[in-house]
Amino acid sequence: MKLERLPSRPLPPAPITPARPHSFEVHGVRIQDDYAWLKAENWKEVLKNPASLDSSIRTCLEQENAYTAAAFAGSEEFQARLVAEMRGRIKEDDSSVPQPDGPFAYFTRYREGGQHPLVCRKPRNGDGETIMLDGDKEAEGHAFFDLGGADHSPDHRLLAWGSDVKGSEYFTIRIRNIETGENLPDEVLHTSGGVVWLNDSSGFYYVELDENHRPVRVRRHLIGTDPAQDPSIYEEKDPGFFVKLGVTQSDAFVLIEASDHETSEVWLIDRSNASATPRLVEGRTPQLQYDVEHHDDSLIILTNADGAEDFKIMTAPVATPGRAHWKDLVPYRPGIMILSVVALARYMVRLERENASPRIVMREIATGREEAIAFDEEAYSLGFTPGYEFDTDVIRYTYSSLTTPSEVTDYNLRTGERILRKRQEVPSGHNPADYVTRRLFATAPDGEQVPVSILHRKEIALDGSAPCLLYGYGSYGMSMPASFRTGILSLVDRGFVYAIAHIRGGTEKGWRWYLDGKREKKTNTFKDFIASGEALIQAGYTSRGKIIAHGGSAGGMLMGAVANMAPDLFAGIISEVPFVDVLNTMLDAELPLTPPEWPEWGNPATDEATFRTILSYSPYDNVKPQVYPAILALAGLTDPRVTYWEPAKWVARLRATMTGGGPILLKLNMDAGHGGAAGRFDRLEEVALAYAFAIKCAEGFQN
């Protein structure tokens, strides 16, 4: 298992982005931002029409792309082989396990060579597939295409589907007659992409995005009416709260959920009444979070009320749903975080996690009897779906680990019978016995034990000679599952160790793990990641200067921070759609995500302590004259979440400030947004570029 040495050619001079003096003062501190001009004044228009980007900015971005292309010159054949390898592990004509709903079973599948899904159904107990929506056909003629949602009506006659063809996440919803395959005249613009149907299939609810790309308004559309006249059912007045729609498993209620990162409230709408108005469950109280399910005459509420930091389950009467009537059903247990709960006709099923290991717990409602589904591997991923139906004894769970391909199993809650419905196929072959999954714990500077999931070939020598790709995220309470990833095998099979650092800011070890990695404690996230790298070195998995760090979005901020804090630890850094201009973004209340992000990071405009905290770690603001590892930043022009100018400014300042190292590279997709290329094979080309970069770094990237 030797690394392939990729062709190395002298790089041309790096682009020099002009510095245009610009400064401003906040809380008595002068902030110098000489690359602020890269933010287009018409950025809102650019999201909808990329061609409107100012030509001088476009020229800078195109020069960056040309420089990055030069850095990888000669490796094109190798990248093509990587794409072929990764594609060879994908079952091209793959399909999901059909999910029954009344007379039909619904599923998605791909055709051989297809980039986008086909949305299909067949008779519940028979054959005869109907393709309701052909994603490849709908994508024709578009440089970018993303299917946002495809929801069939309760009477099984219509399909509501949303699509985005710019990468800006403005989805247009259309309605299709399933029998004829024709779209109805209705077109609903500027939505989040999904719908919740009325029970009589006469129309649906959807979320409309405002002019700042924020999901703030719920409207109701009746089939055949003018979408411009759709009545507003709910409008969020607080710019810090986002709105989304849900539905109870019982189908009785549509759920309007308004929340930020700390507080939530839920409104119920009778799904059987097309003129129903929302009814509040419990008004928003700072730091009170709750989700709602329904069973008979009760609501089942997952909440952190009463100091239940890792959440508990309570009940309340549907008739009087307010907090005064909430009663404990599953009490709070510190260290055991309840992630979700679903109510079926006879069962309540919850997903919970303890010390980074998940399990499913079934509770028989009539008796209170409980059973758990868990697994013995050191690190694994587990999730479940109840399906479409309420009166059922069967749930479906999905299990995988870093070495074990995904398995989909139907579990009978009444009998305990397990039926394996699908095992992920790896067409080019995969033997789990050739690999090892381990979990080690890194000691952070304050003594906390940070879980690290590890994958490597069985025969690898733990003598520090292996390069390592170390992934991290650590924000918003999101946990990073130790799930099977076919792509990473292209590095592991070349002698890499792959590791996931389950750092603070996520919830792998409970809600406290999240709280200890946000706002004034944000630097714990960065220190945990550095400690994870040091622990891998101490255990012999790799060595200093052989680690390639990898993260995206808020994980891209992590990449920028650790590059500033411990540059000599890393051979290279892959930073995808990186949130690196934290201070400027959090000061700009017009940006789509800024007000809803203040609970996560704090508001530096109104709070001086928050301002100084963010200023102390914001990657862009802390670039310093030192030697930096090679850095590859990947971004999208129409990204509404991490705007293109963040990585562009960061790269410009790095080059202007660093004393050595690099190279510093930016690849900006001019036809995509936050998720990069939407096609499943197009995306592989971006992965191959990142992996080629990792291999170049492991060899010693020649500047």
Side-chain angles (χ1 to χ4, degrees):
M1 291 188 304
K2 289 187 177 180
L3 287 178
E4 300 175 58
R5 182 159 291 278
L6 302 186
S8 179
R9 300 177 182 176
L11 269 175
I16 299 175
T17 302
R20 300 179 182 177
H22 172 76
S23 65
F24 58 96
E25 187 172 298
V26 184
H27 301 297
V29 177
R30 176 64 54 179
I31 304 296
Q32 194 72 26
D33 185 8
D34 294 346
Y35 302 101
W37 68 273
L38 288 168
K39 175 187 174 183
E41 293 183 3
N42 67 332
W43 62 267
K44 295 180 185 179
E45 182 183 351
V46 171
L47 286 178
K48 297 178 181 179
N49 178 20
S52 66
L53 181 67
D54 178 86
S55 60
S56 62
I57 298 174
R58 182 177 294 275
T59 297
C60 283
L61 301 181
E62 290 173 345
Q63 288 174 344
E64 292 291 352
N65 282 343
Y67 180 63
T68 297
F72 288 94
S75 70
E76 293 87 354
E77 186 273 336
F78 175 73
Q79 291 182 54
R81 279 196 285 122
L82 282 182
V83 170
E85 277 181 23
M86 293 185 286
R87 186 164 177 167
R89 300 188 193 103
I90 297 172
K91 188 175 187 296
E92 293 206 9
D93 58 350
D94 202 7
S95 63
S96 64
V97 180
Q99 190 72 261
D101 184 21
F104 297 100
Y106 291 83
F107 61 102
T108 59
R109 70 171 179 86
Y110 289 86
R111 60 168 57 92
E112 190 89 15
Q115 294 265 23
H116 301 279
L118 311 179
V119 182
C120 308
R121 75 179 182 192
K122 65 179 184 178
R124 181 175 186 135
N125 297 309
D127 299 319
E129 171 191 88
T130 297
I131 298 176
M132 301 183 293
L133 184 76
D134 185 334
D136 290 321
K137 181 179 179 180
E138 300 300 335
E140 289 177 0
H142 299 292
F144 179 93
F145 176 82
D146 184 25
L147 182 63
D151 304 285
H152 63 272
S153 60
D155 65 5
H156 306 281
R157 295 186 307 107
L158 302 173
L159 183 77
W161 61 283
S163 64
D164 166 27
V165 296
K166 300 291 186 183
S168 56
E169 299 179 43
Y170 281 108
F171 290 89
T172 297
I173 294 172
R174 297 174 174 87
I175 315 300
R176 177 158 299 182
N177 183 309
I178 296 174
E179 183 177 348
T180 67
E182 299 296 323
N183 287 333
L184 305 184
D186 314 52
E187 286 193 1
V188 186
L189 306 179
H190 303 148
T191 81
S192 59
V195 310
V196 175
W197 284 93
L198 288 158
N199 275 341
D200 66 1
S201 303
S202 63
F204 53 80
Y205 296 93
Y206 64 93
V207 176
E208 182 181 55
L209 308 183
D210 69 5
E211 62 278 2
N212 287 321
H213 203 281
R214 293 172 187 150
V216 299
R217 195 173 297 109
V218 175
R219 293 191 184 274
R220 182 173 54 231
H221 178 71
L222 298 181
I223 304 301
T225 64
D226 180 2
Q229 303 302 316
D230 288 349
S232 175
I233 306 303
Y234 175 90
E235 183 165 0
E236 179 55 55
K237 302 298 185 183
D238 187 336
F241 274 63
F242 275 11
V243 175
K244 65 179 181 178
L245 285 173
V247 62
T248 59
Q249 187 70 19
S250 67
D251 284 336
F253 296 106
V254 177
L255 305 172
I256 298 176
E257 302 168 350
S259 64
D260 60 14
H261 293 292
E262 296 179 337
T263 303
S264 62
E265 73 176 13
V266 178
W267 298 73
L268 306 176
I269 305 177
D270 183 349
R271 198 180 179 194
S272 64
N273 183 354
S275 60
T277 56
R279 186 160 63 94
L280 180 63
V281 174
E282 172 65 24
R284 63 191 67 174
T285 301
Q287 280 76 55
L288 174 67
Q289 300 182 62
Y290 69 96
D291 294 319
V292 173
E293 257 286 20
H294 167 246
H295 187 271
D296 290 344
D297 58 357
S298 296
L299 298 180
I300 295 175
I301 301 168
L302 175 63
T303 180
N304 66 347
D306 310 316
E309 185 176 72
D310 290 322
F311 293 80
K312 63 179 178 177
I313 299 174
M314 306 182 78
T315 63
V318 170
T320 54
R323 187 176 175 185
H325 303 281
W326 295 5
K327 295 182 179 179
D328 281 5
L329 179 62
V330 178
Y332 169 51
R333 298 157 296 161
I336 301 177
M337 185 172 177
I338 304 177
L339 303 169
S340 62
V341 61
V342 170
L344 301 171
R346 289 169 292 281
Y347 306 94
M348 184 180 74
V349 186
R350 67 182 187 267
L351 180 65
E352 60 187 33
R353 184 169 53 232
E354 182 176 14
N355 205 23
S357 294
R359 60 176 172 257
I360 297 168
V361 181
M362 178 278 291
R363 181 186 184 102
E364 192 173 51
I365 291 176
T367 65
R369 175 180 65 90
E370 291 195 347
E371 291 182 1
I373 303 171
F375 297 86
D376 295 328
E377 286 193 81
E378 289 185 31
Y380 62 87
S381 173
L382 180 66
F384 82 94
T385 174
Y388 293 114
E389 299 181 323
F390 179 66
D391 188 3
T392 180
D393 293 331
V394 178
I395 64 166
R396 181 168 291 166
Y397 68 79
T398 302
Y399 169 85
S400 74
S401 75
L402 291 172
T403 57
T404 306
S406 175
E407 297 176 347
V408 179
T409 300
D410 280 354
Y411 180 79
N412 190 300
L413 298 164
R414 179 175 55 84
T415 67
E417 180 185 16
R418 304 186 190 198
I419 299 176
L420 180 64
R421 297 298 306 273
K422 179 183 178 181
R423 179 176 285 117
Q424 181 180 355
E425 295 181 42
V426 182
S428 60
H430 174 71
N431 182 8
D434 292 339
Y435 303 88
V436 175
T437 293
R438 289 285 182 264
R439 167 73 56 77
L440 67 74
F441 288 86
T443 301
D446 61 358
E448 285 284 3
Q449 297 297 294
V450 182
V452 183
S453 298
I454 301 167
L455 171 70
H456 62 81
R457 295 278 306 190
K458 184 171 62 176
E459 65 269 24
I460 201 169
L462 301 183
D463 59 1
S465 61
C468 173
L469 186 73
L470 177 60
Y471 181 82
Y473 187 76
S475 290
Y476 305 115
M478 293 179 63
S479 63
M480 295 295 107
S483 55
F484 188 65
R485 297 160 167 83
T486 59
I488 195 61
L489 297 177
S490 286
L491 288 185
V492 173
D493 286 346
R494 287 174 168 80
F496 269 73
V497 170
Y498 177 62
I500 304 170
H502 303 286
I503 50 186
R504 277 175 282 186
T507 52
E508 284 88 341
K509 296 181 72 172
W511 197 253
R512 179 188 62 84
W513 202 243
Y514 167 49
L515 297 179
D516 279 355
K518 67 180 294 191
R519 298 189 68 149
E520 71 277 3
K521 298 181 179 180
K522 188 62 207 171
T523 55
N524 285 336
T525 301
F526 317 141
K527 294 173 183 177
D528 286 359
F529 189 83
I530 294 168
S532 298
E534 299 284 3
L536 289 164
I537 293 168
Q538 293 169 12
Y541 286 104
T542 190
S543 297
R544 181 172 294 274
K546 288 193 172 185
I547 299 173
I548 293 88
H550 183 200
S553 196
M557 177 198 62
L558 167 69
M559 297 299 101
V562 299
N564 290 332
M565 295 169 65
D568 65 325
L569 183 62
F570 306 105
I573 290 177
I574 303 167
S575 191
E576 299 192 57
V577 289
F579 177 36
V580 283
D581 194 11
V582 184
L583 182 62
N584 279 305
T585 294
M586 287 298 101
L587 285 170
D588 189 345
E590 285 196 0
L591 291 174
L593 292 184
T594 294
E597 297 286 276
W598 285 330
E600 180 76 15
W601 314 102
N603 184 346
T606 60
D607 182 64
E608 183 175 352
T610 291
F611 165 78
R612 294 187 179 278
T613 296
I614 294 177
L615 181 61
S616 74
Y617 70 73
S618 175
Y620 176 67
D621 295 285
N622 285 276
V623 171
K624 62 190 72 171
Q626 63 181 6
V627 175
Y628 278 88
I631 294 175
L632 173 63
L634 301 168
L637 178 61
T638 56
D639 188 346
R641 304 189 194 197
V642 178
T643 50
Y644 74 85
W645 59 82
E646 292 205 32
K649 291 170 58 177
W650 180 50
V651 164
R653 180 171 277 184
L654 279 165
R655 286 209 199 103
T657 308
M658 61 195 283
T659 59
I664 309 299
L665 307 173
L666 171 62
K667 175 69 168 66
L668 198 129
N669 191 326
M670 305 298 280
D671 297 310
H674 197 66
R680 58 176 178 157
F681 301 132
D682 290 343
R683 172 60 182 157
L684 295 181
E685 295 180 7
E686 297 179 347
V687 176
L689 181 74
Y691 287 177
F693 175 81
I695 290 172
K696 276 181 166 286
C697 291
E699 298 170 345
F701 207 119
Q702 299 300 308
N703 213 340

